[in-house]
Amino acid sequence: MEGVAAGAQTGKAAVYRRWPSKEDLVADALRAGLPQFDAVPDEGRVRDDLLVLCLRARDAMFSRPGSALRSVIHECDTAQAERFHAVIFEGVVEPTMEMLREVVDRGVKRGEVRPEAANGYVYDAIPAMMMYRSKMCGCEWQDREVEEMIDQLMVPLLRPHGS
């Protein structure tokens, strides 16, 4: 906190008024560095939209702030880790999920997705797979691997019966 105060040319008391703890300061710094998820991809096909969306999520997970966030989580005790998990959830997972819902809903309207596929289990599949493979397998998700996940898991899962 002393270093932050010195860098900001202010006193420690001012820093502590803004960030009551070091964890709050680190969480805000990491949150500020995460890429923004603002535009839902619309490439004309659900498969292509999912690919763009997953590549964005992967890039956020493995960006410098995303990597720093994962490192911080691994170094923390359980209570601290929960605070930083919230940064990932709010900064990457929730925005990705909202966009995923929009992509799937658009696919339903286009006839590319069966309506009953627009459900929580399907929405959870992509982030669950990406997080599982990243954490358990050490996978950093090359472009080819993201494409394979979309083509082998998501497209068949979403496809209307008989297509």
Side-chain angles (χ1 to χ4, degrees), residues 5-53:
Q9 298 179 345
T10 189
K12 279 190 347 183
V15 174
Y16 275 107
R17 277 193 297 277
R18 174 69 176 92
W19 297 285
S21 70
K22 292 176 189 175
E23 291 83 9
D24 291 323
L25 172 68
V26 171
D28 274 358
L30 293 169
R31 189 178 293 112
L34 288 173
Q36 297 300 307
F37 289 83
D38 49 3
V40 179
D42 190 356
E43 303 293 314
R45 293 185 343 169
V46 168
R47 183 239 183 240
D48 298 333
D49 294 345
L50 291 173
L51 180 59
V52 170
L53 186 57

Side-chain angles (χ1 to χ4, degrees), residues 41-117:
D42 190 356
E43 303 293 314
R45 293 185 343 169
V46 168
R47 183 239 183 240
D48 298 333
D49 294 345
L50 291 173
L51 180 59
V52 170
L53 186 57
C54 287
L55 290 173
R56 283 186 197 167
R58 185 253 347 244
D59 291 347
M61 286 172 57
F62 293 101
S63 67
R64 190 171 183 189
S67 295
L69 186 52
R70 286 194 326 278
S71 295
V72 167
I73 288 169
H74 291 298
E75 295 297 321
C76 294
D77 63 33
T78 304
Q80 293 169 324
E82 286 178 17
R83 173 179 288 156
F84 295 117
H85 276 287
V87 173
I88 290 175
F89 191 79
E90 294 164 8
V92 178
V93 176
E94 274 185 348
T96 302
M97 294 294 282
E98 287 177 31
M99 291 182 180
L100 178 58
R101 284 185 194 96
E102 189 170 329
V103 165
V104 170
D105 289 345
R106 190 183 317 132
V108 170
K109 291 175 187 163
R110 290 180 184 153
E112 295 177 79
V113 174
R114 55 190 168 77
E116 64 273 15

